[in-house]
């Protein structure tokens, strides 16, 4: 049963309930109090507060960060006070190559003391090209607050066991779900494993641990679902699955529900900003986390996308004063959504399409999100792992892992399903392989376009 009110962790001996949290926990709970209210603000009020923070960030950036000193003029305004959503749309976009080649110039000369120590991080993403990111403890605090917000939105039972299967992790056990959450609220134990662990070993580990919640990547989750289905087994005690860091295949929610009998909550996130959008607890839409990021979805000409339009994602991290990332183009595509029926005013993303290299492009130049994973699910092919690579505008190669070669009839049936689902009748080529390797950043890509 879900706890009505999570218990605060107390720092005072003998004062167990109601708990008296230490300073870090009190700050986290105070932030949750604000986030609980801001999500319901009228859109105009939310935008007003967002741009109050944008202007504070820009004032810091143009005085402390060499890279941005000429940007006000490029935006066509004389002072930060003139920055509005309209004028901010003229601020130059920061690309990943610019970030990589101007790492030093993007570093602030000084940061406010109260933002805490500066932390250096590296992210390689799916391409293996490294990016150096600087962060402050204050910016990390906002990221942690959104993780807790997600748990509270979905009314998860914090006393349950939480399992995480992550990149570059080994098997381990922790006293709670995470240090940031444990400082504020009492949680059950946490256990961790790595996506590099053999799927059969992961499955046996999960069956032994019996967690209430499981967090992992969509590709690893899909492999676990297929493995459990082949064995005719489920995970006892599981209440919900959480996914992050990779685009969520359209069919995976239904597969988890069918085989495990639980729901799935996805988070759109990146290393630079943490959670960009959280799945609504009342549906599948994603709510942009406007208290921590200003997120734009843009057409090719730079104008904003309207609902149901897909465009490139550009973000401004509102609280990173160590290395301000202002109008930073992530390389992702997303689809704008309609206002959510839940009543929250936080902007809505209907779907996350993923990186440009994960979008299909046909010979007419149309760019769209491929649906090969859904076609594969419909076809019921006995493959344990797969990857589609668009070699030319009209040719896609499917690499697959299977105990046997697919028959000519199976290939024909799958090709027919693909051609019925997609706006262009791609020619399909099949290649059986012993395994599909993860990318340089540890991520798995179900579709890669060499022509995007």
């Amino acid at each position: 049963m879900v706890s009505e009110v999570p218990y605060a962790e107390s720092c005072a001996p003998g004062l167990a309930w109601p708990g008296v949290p230490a300073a870090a926990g009190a700050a986290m709970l105070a932030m949750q109090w604000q986030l609980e209210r801001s999500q319901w603000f009228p859109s105009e009020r939310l935008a007003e507060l967002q741009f109050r923070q944008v202007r504070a960030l820009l004032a810091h950036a143009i005085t402390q960060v060499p890279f941005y000193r000429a940007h006000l003029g490029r935006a066509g305004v004389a002072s930060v006070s003139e920055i509005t959503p309209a004028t901010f749309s003229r601020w130059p976009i920061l690309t990943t190559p610019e970030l990589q080649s101007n790492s030093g110039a993007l570093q602030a000369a000084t940061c406010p003391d109260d933002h805490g120590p500066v932390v250096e991080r590296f992210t390689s993403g799916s391409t293996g090209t490294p990016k150096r990111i600087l962060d402050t403890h204050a910016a990390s605090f906002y990221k942690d607050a959104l993780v807790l917000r997600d748990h509270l939105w979905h009314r998860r039972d914090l006393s349950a066991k939480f399992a995480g299967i992550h990149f570059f992790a080994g098997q381990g056990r922790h006293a709670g779900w995470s240090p940031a959450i444990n400082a504020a609220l009492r949680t059950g134990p946490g256990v961790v494993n790595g996506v590099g662990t053999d799927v059969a070993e992961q499955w046996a580990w999960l069956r032994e641990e019996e967690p209430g919640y499981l967090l992992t990547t969509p590709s690893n989750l899909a492999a676990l679902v297929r493995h459990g289905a082949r064995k005719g087994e489920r995970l006892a005690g599981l209440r919900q699955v959480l996914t992050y860091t990779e685009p969520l295949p359209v069919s995976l929610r239904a597969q988890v529900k069918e085989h495990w009998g639980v729901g799935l909550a996805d988070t759109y996130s990146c290393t630079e900003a943490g959670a960009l959008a959280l799945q609504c607890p009342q549906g599948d839409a994603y709510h942009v986390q406007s208290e921590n990021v200003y997120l734009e979805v843009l057409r090719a000409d730079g104008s904003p996308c309207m609902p149901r339009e897909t465009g490139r994602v550009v973000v401004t991290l509102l609280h990173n004063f160590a290395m301000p990332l202002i109008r930073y183009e992530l390389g992702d595509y997303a689809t704008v959504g309609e206002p959510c029926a839940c009543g929250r005013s936080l902007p809505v993303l209907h779907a996350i399409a993923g990186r440009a290299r994960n979008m299909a492009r046909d010979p007419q130049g149309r760019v769209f999100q491929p649906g090969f994973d859904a076609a594969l699910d419909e076809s019921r092919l006995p493959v344990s792992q797969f990857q589609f690579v668009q070699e030319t505008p009209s040719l896609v190669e499917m690499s697959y892992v299977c105990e046997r070669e697919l028959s000519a009839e199976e290939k024909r049936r799958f090709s027919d399903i693909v051609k019925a689902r997609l706006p262009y009748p791609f020619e399909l080529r099949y290649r059986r392989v012993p395994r599909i390797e993860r990318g340089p950043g540890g991520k798995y890509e179900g579709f890669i376009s060499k022509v995007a």
Side-chain angles (χ1 to χ4, degrees):
M1 186 175 74
V2 176
S3 304
E4 287 295 324
V5 180
Y7 294 129
E9 192 62 63
S10 186
C11 69
L15 304 181
W17 181 84
V20 180
M28 181 60 72
L29 293 176
M31 178 58 67
Q32 296 303 319
W33 184 88
Q34 294 182 75
L35 294 176
E36 171 58 30
R37 284 148 184 79
S38 59
Q39 63 186 316
W40 308 108
F41 286 168
S43 298
E44 298 78 12
R45 175 62 173 158
L46 196 61
E48 174 192 340
L49 292 170
Q50 231 184 358
F51 268 82
R52 180 188 299 179
Q53 183 59 38
V54 167
R55 287 187 285 272
L57 176 70
L58 298 190
H60 170 78
I62 61 176
T63 59
Q64 299 297 324
V65 183
F67 184 83
Y68 291 118
R69 285 188 182 143
H71 277 50
L72 267 184
R74 294 175 188 170
V77 296
S79 70
V80 168
S81 63
E82 298 178 37
I83 290 292
T84 65
T87 58
F88 191 54
S89 69
R90 301 196 295 266
W91 186 278
I93 287 176
L94 173 67
T95 65
T96 293
E98 287 178 317
L99 170 61
Q100 291 165 328
S101 60
N102 292 278
S103 178
L106 282 162
Q107 182 174 343
T110 63
C111 274
D113 290 341
D114 289 343
H115 286 217
V118 173
V119 178
E120 185 178 51
R121 309 180 196 280
F122 289 89
T123 173
S124 59
S126 56
T127 63
T129 306
K131 290 181 283 186
R132 173 177 174 263
I133 306 296
L134 299 181
D135 225 342
T136 64
H137 277 208
S140 296
F141 172 79
Y142 282 91
K143 295 179 187 178
D144 292 337
L146 297 179
V147 173
L148 180 53
R149 171 190 247 183
D150 183 59
H151 293 320
L152 297 177
W153 269 11
H154 290 269
R155 296 178 60 80
R156 296 183 185 121
D157 182 359
L158 299 185
S159 68
K161 182 185 289 186
F162 191 91
I165 304 178
H166 306 290
F167 296 122
F168 313 120
Q171 196 172 129
R173 188 172 300 274
H174 306 287
W177 288 18
S178 75
I181 296 173
N182 299 342
L185 298 170
R186 231 175 283 167
T187 72
V191 291
V192 66
N193 211 329
V195 295
T197 304
D198 181 76
V199 172
E201 293 179 32
Q202 290 183 43
W203 184 257
W205 176 77
L206 287 168
R207 296 265 294 173
E208 181 180 348
E209 292 290 351
E210 296 189 350
Y213 301 97
L214 168 63
L215 169 67
T216 192
T217 65
S219 57
N220 193 63
L221 174 61
L224 286 167
V225 170
R226 290 193 294 269
H227 183 83
R230 285 197 299 271
K231 293 178 69 68
E233 297 174 347
R234 287 194 175 194
L235 298 176
L238 191 66
R239 306 180 193 190
Q240 190 183 47
V241 176
L242 293 69
T243 51
Y244 76 119
T245 206
E246 298 170 352
L248 183 71
V250 294
S251 62
L252 191 52
R253 289 186 195 277
Q255 292 177 43
V256 169
K257 191 69 175 178
E258 176 188 353
H259 294 290
W260 292 0
V262 300
L264 184 155
D266 187 40
T267 294
Y268 175 36
S269 64
C270 67
T271 301
E272 297 92 330
L276 298 169
L278 301 176
Q279 184 183 320
C280 179
Q282 277 79 50
D284 295 343
Y286 296 81
H287 284 291
V288 175
Q289 298 302 286
S290 297
E291 296 92 345
N292 192 45
V293 65
Y294 181 67
L295 187 147
E296 304 168 78
V297 182
L298 305 178
R299 300 178 179 128
D301 64 4
S303 60
C305 289
M306 295 293 104
R308 296 291 170 174
E309 288 185 339
T310 299
R312 55 199 176 111
V313 177
V314 172
V315 297
T316 298
L317 281 55
L318 298 180
H319 303 108
N320 185 353
F321 280 47
M323 180 182 274
L325 299 182
I326 302 169
R327 299 203 80 211
Y328 170 49
E329 185 173 358
L330 286 177
D332 289 351
Y333 280 79
T335 305
V336 177
E338 303 279 359
C340 189
C342 73
R344 291 175 176 84
S345 58
L346 298 170
V348 173
L349 299 179
H350 172 71
I352 315 302
R355 298 280 177 177
R357 69 194 243 109
N358 303 133
M359 301 289 284
R361 182 186 295 270
D362 68 17
Q364 284 72 49
R366 293 177 297 181
V367 177
F368 53 92
Q369 185 176 11
F372 290 102
D373 58 289
L376 191 67
D377 183 52
E378 182 180 334
S379 70
R380 303 288 181 177
L381 292 181
V383 304
S384 58
Q385 202 178 13
F386 62 89
Q387 186 176 69
F388 296 90
V389 177
Q390 185 176 7
E391 299 286 350
T392 72
S394 60
L395 173 66
V396 173
E397 180 177 86
M398 173 186 171
S399 297
Y400 65 94
V401 179
C402 186
E403 293 180 354
R404 58 171 175 79
E405 292 281 358
L406 295 177
S407 68
E409 173 58 24
E410 287 172 323
K411 293 176 182 178
R412 184 201 61 76
R413 187 174 73 251
F414 178 68
S415 295
D416 288 345
I417 293 172
V418 167
K419 290 175 181 178
R421 277 183 168 271
L422 299 183
Y424 180 81
F426 290 105
E427 176 190 351
L428 284 174
R429 186 168 67 198
Y430 297 85
R431 183 167 68 101
R432 185 182 173 211
V433 297
R435 63 174 295 163
I436 308 289
E437 299 294 341
R438 293 185 176 273
K443 295 183 180 181
Y444 169 80
E445 296 177 277
F447 179 89
I448 299 172
S449 174
K450 292 183 178 180
V451 300

